Amino acid sequence: MKMGNLVGSLKWTWLAIIMLLLSSCKATKILTDGEINENLSAKNIIKGHYNNQLNFNTLRGRLKIDYSDGTSSQGFNVSLRIEKDKAIWISATLGIVKAYITPERVTFYNKLENEYFDGDFTYLSNLLGTELNFEKIQNLLLGEALLDLREKKYEASVYGNTYELKPRKPMELFKTLFLLEPKNFKMAAQQLSQPGKKRVLEIRYKSYQEIDRRVLPNEIAITAVDDTHKNLIDLTFKNIELNRPLNFPYKIPKGFKEIVLK
């Protein structure tokens, strides 16, 4: 795959490329589904979800990304480093493309094109049709709800082998849907749509794994639709290690041209 194609795909798959918190390691254990309790209330399902939030300090490993936009497809691997609540760092082969995300900024550069981007979360927010910040992106990557489920009232039902949560009072501009797996109350799927703009973001967590007694996603499938444009992203996380000392080398090379993502 050409590195120029990788950078081109960032415009539509930036969120997916950021998705680096997931895992697999030498102590990996793929988790199986639990049993559904049909009498469990929405309040208790939500409580279980937040009681099982992932607790860690740092994470490092590799991520395989398979991407398709309907006309072409490609796959590549990147290295990742995470400091929870503070930084997400990724690097493609030989550091030709690097990205660095903090609660204040989103930035990346491409050595092949001598270009860089340095800005806030406005681009990601516009792409997905909802206001985003570092915390929301981090939650999404960890199999946790993109929106705070404690802020609204939800109706609970059983859908297949998952708990389905729908808001009692629909949002004015968005539609949301959350499916939670019964074993650890992590997300099985979450969907955020903006019908007026024909935008849909669907994240399916295909499997989870246990690392150092912590539950993390193992594989994720993402569908992002913007009007007639559709992107499919499959993520597989490998060789993850938790709570090791890390640094985050990132410096935009001198002479690079700033690019603006629209």
Side-chain angles (χ1 to χ4, degrees):
M1 187 201 72
K2 297 181 179 179
M3 292 305 299
N5 290 339
L6 187 158
V7 176
S9 71
L10 279 173
K11 185 171 183 180
W12 287 101
T13 63
W14 180 242
L15 177 64
I17 296 176
I18 293 171
M19 290 194 171
L20 308 168
L21 300 198
L22 297 48
S23 35
S24 174
C25 80
K26 53 190 176 185
T28 294
K29 176 183 177 182
I30 303 299
L31 300 180
T32 56
D33 294 333
E35 294 184 1
I36 286 285
N37 178 354
E38 296 186 359
N39 297 317
L40 205 58
S41 67
K43 181 178 180 180
N44 284 330
I45 294 169
I46 292 170
K47 182 179 179 180
H49 178 68
Y50 287 102
N51 284 345
N52 283 279
Q53 283 185 312
L54 184 63
N55 182 25
F56 71 98
N57 295 319
T58 63
L59 181 155
R60 70 179 180 186
R62 295 189 63 80
L63 172 67
K64 184 177 186 298
I65 304 172
D66 293 303
Y67 165 78
S68 173
D69 63 4
T71 58
S72 64
S73 60
Q74 52 189 287
F76 48 91
N77 294 278
V78 297
S79 298
L80 70 93
R81 298 179 185 181
I82 305 293
E83 184 173 9
K84 190 178 181 186
D85 300 329
K86 295 182 179 180
I88 301 173
W89 175 97
I90 65 174
S91 178
T93 304
L94 302 177
I96 293 175
V97 175
K98 277 190 178 182
Y100 185 60
I101 302 165
T102 69
E104 292 77 31
R105 64 197 286 231
V106 175
T107 179
F108 66 86
Y109 65 77
N110 168 23
K111 288 184 177 179
L112 290 181
E113 302 295 335
N114 292 335
E115 294 178 334
Y116 75 93
F117 171 80
D118 192 357
D120 58 20
F121 288 85
T122 301
Y123 171 72
L124 293 179
S125 299
N126 290 340
L127 176 62
L128 298 180
T130 186
E131 184 178 351
L132 292 179
N133 54 31
F134 186 94
E135 180 181 8
K136 289 181 179 179
I137 293 172
Q138 183 171 257
N139 287 348
L140 187 153
L141 302 177
L142 293 173
E144 296 167 4
L146 180 61
L147 304 181
D148 193 336
L149 301 178
R150 297 163 294 191
E151 293 183 349
K152 293 184 179 295
K153 300 291 185 179
Y154 286 85
E155 296 285 352
S157 60
V158 173
Y159 181 82
N161 195 40
T162 63
Y163 297 113
E164 180 180 272
L165 294 178
K166 289 184 177 180
R168 290 183 182 177
K169 183 179 180 181
M171 301 173 67
E172 292 185 5
L173 299 177
F174 303 99
K175 290 184 177 181
T176 60
L177 174 67
F178 301 97
L179 300 180
L180 292 86
E181 53 86 19
K183 187 176 182 63
N184 296 286
F185 297 97
K186 306 290 282 186
M187 284 292 149
Q190 49 185 325
Q191 185 182 96
L192 178 63
S193 63
Q194 194 174 12
K197 294 187 177 181
K198 298 181 180 179
R199 287 179 170 176
V200 178
L201 174 67
E202 182 180 74
I203 306 102
R204 291 188 297 110
Y205 299 87
K206 298 170 69 174
S207 63
Y208 279 89
Q209 59 190 310
E210 183 176 312
I211 299 176
D212 297 341
R213 298 183 179 180
R214 296 169 174 86
V215 178
L216 303 101
N218 182 55
E219 294 179 286
I220 290 182
I222 301 166
T223 302
V225 178
D226 187 352
D227 197 5
T228 60
H229 194 97
K230 183 176 182 179
N231 299 278
L232 303 176
I233 307 105
D234 289 321
L235 308 171
T236 305
F237 299 83
K238 303 178 180 180
N239 304 322
I240 298 298
E241 296 178 307
L242 298 174
N243 299 327
R244 299 293 183 90
L246 296 180
N247 55 27
F248 297 82
Y250 184 87
K251 185 178 181 180
I252 298 172
K254 292 183 179 179
F256 276 30
K257 179 182 177 181
E258 184 173 8
I259 59 177
V260 178
L261 297 179
K262 298 182 179 179

